[in-house]
């Protein structure tokens, strides 16, 4: 281990802060998201974003930084106390629900909200978190990517970061026809089981330009250096400041690792992925999972696919 890596280890290995970019407009879910943040769409009774928040807290994160926008005030309310509601629940003896509400943000966890005034891209959103993050490493969770509780990637990512001090990103193999939706890595040598060094990353490439079939899946750990690269980053795909482009600069310097995620992931930014998340969570529901499985079985037996083209 070099002296430089040693000092990276001692000063940087404790990751306390998580950034959640939540300023996006959610146009794919209109009209549901006209007055309501897409991040609060429920998976049965738990908003999509609460899954990502739980994942961060579970991994030991204590400071949550939300980068919000004008139409996102309800997110702030969701993670704040609601004394009126809590009193009403206490008075009516609904202690289970009360406890559940209070444990959304445990006492040792802090929330900070910063605003992204203009929709200039994911990279710009992360840069908006700089004053709240300061000069320490941090994780980024994109709440649209919902990970099944049993296979959450954040702990493996943190372990890699603690080992190498490098920017660490979760990646998964994705079907060829979906490569254009992701940041796709160019893998170099394998550095440990399930981990590869990244020599480049391309945002939303065409099939022909994609350097592999391994996609960034919305979980990242950065050192504060990333802010300097974001600050000078020219607009990329879609005219936006892309996080991927800043990661690419670090990757070309050999400072990025990808940790392979093989668990269950739902793309809740798309209607189909959102629906699949709801169905899986309903099937696993402790109260009515069995009943729901039976319902789905009967429904699919009775379902006649629509004929097309005739
Ligand atoms: C963003 C990132 C992309 C990443 C993806 C993961 O894209 O820009 O690199 O692969 O999240 O979900 P978006 O889904 O916001 O278009």
């Amino acid at each position: 281990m070099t002296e430089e890596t040693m000092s990276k280890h001692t000063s940087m290995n404790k990751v306390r802060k998580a950034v959640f970019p939540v300023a996006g407009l959610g146009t794919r879910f209109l009209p549901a998201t006209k007055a309501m943040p897409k991040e609060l769409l429920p998976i049965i009774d738990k908003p999509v974003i609460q899954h990502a928040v739980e994942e961060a807290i579970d991994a030991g994160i204590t400071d949550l930084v939300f980068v919000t926008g004008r139409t996102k005030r309800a997110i702030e309310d969701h993670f704040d106390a609601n004394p009126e509601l809590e009193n009403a629940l206490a008075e009516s003896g609904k202690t289970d629900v009360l406890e559940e509400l209070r444990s959304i943000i445990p006492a040792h966890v802090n929330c900070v909200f910063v605003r992204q005034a203009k929709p200039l891209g994911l990279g710009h959103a992360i840069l908006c978190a700089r004053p709240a993050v300061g000069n320490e490493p941090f994780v980024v969770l994109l709440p649209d990517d919902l990970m099944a509780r049993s296979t959450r990637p954040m702990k493996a990512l943190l372990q890699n970061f603690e080992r190498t001090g490098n920017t660490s990103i979760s990646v998964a193999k994705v079907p060829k026809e979906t490569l254009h939706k992701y940041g796709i890595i160019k893998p170099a040598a394998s550095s440990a089981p399930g981990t590869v060094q990244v020599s480049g990353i391309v945002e939303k490439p065409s099939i022909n330009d994609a350097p592999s079939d391994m996609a960034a899946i919305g979980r990242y750990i950065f050192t504060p250096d990333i802010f300097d690269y974001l600050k000078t980053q020219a607009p990329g795909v879609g005219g936006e400041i892309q996080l991927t482009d800043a990661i690419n600069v670090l990757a070309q310097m050999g400072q990025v690792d990808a940790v392979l995620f093989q668990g269950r992931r739902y793309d809740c930014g798309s209607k189909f992925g959102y629906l699949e998340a709801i169905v899986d969570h309903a099937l696993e529901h402790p109260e009515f999972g069995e009943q729901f499985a039976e319902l789905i079985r009967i429904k699919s037996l009775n379902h006649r696919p629509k004929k097309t083209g005739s």
Side-chain angles (χ1 to χ4, degrees), residues 22-145:
V22 291
L25 290 176
T27 43
R28 275 187 241 166
F29 284 89
L30 284 169
T33 50
K34 188 176 172 214
M36 174 197 180
K38 65 170 175 155
E39 294 79 9
L40 291 184
L41 288 170
I43 306 296
I44 310 179
D45 50 11
K46 187 185 288 186
V48 168
I49 190 173
Q50 201 179 314
H51 288 264
V53 162
E54 274 179 9
E55 184 183 336
I57 295 174
D58 242 33
I61 297 295
T62 55
D63 293 76
L64 312 177
V65 181
F66 299 87
V67 183
T68 75
R70 269 186 297 287
T71 56
K72 303 292 178 126
R73 291 211 181 96
I75 295 179
E76 208 163 325
D77 291 341
H78 183 76
F79 292 113
D80 195 4
N82 183 338
E84 210 173 44
L85 176 62
E86 288 174 25
N87 288 342
L89 290 170
E91 274 166 26
S92 55
K94 293 187 174 148
T95 44
D96 290 3
V97 195
L98 182 60
E99 278 319 304
E100 197 186 332
L101 285 195
R102 286 188 174 151
S103 65
I104 293 176
I105 299 294
H108 70 282
V109 174
N110 307 305
C111 295
V112 175
F113 295 85
V114 295
R115 296 269 284 246
Q116 183 187 20
K118 289 184 187 161
L120 298 179
L122 177 60
H124 177 258
I126 303 301
L127 190 56
C128 292
R130 187 177 205 168
V133 169
N135 194 28
E136 53 180 293
F138 62 102
V139 305
V140 169
L141 298 97
L142 307 187
D144 278 355
D145 289 298

Side-chain angles (χ1 to χ4, degrees), residues 164-215:
T164 67
N166 281 341
T167 291
S168 304
I169 65 180
S170 267
V171 296
K173 279 184 186 292
V174 297
K176 279 206 166 55
E177 62 279 10
T178 64
L179 289 168
H180 66 280
K181 294 184 178 178
Y182 297 99
I184 304 294
I185 64 160
K186 183 172 184 196
S190 170
S191 49
T195 308
V196 284
Q197 252 211 335
V198 177
S199 58
I201 180 166
V202 187
E203 181 67 3
K204 300 191 168 66
S206 65
I207 292 192
N208 294 336
D209 294 338
S212 75
D213 60 354
M214 302 229 273

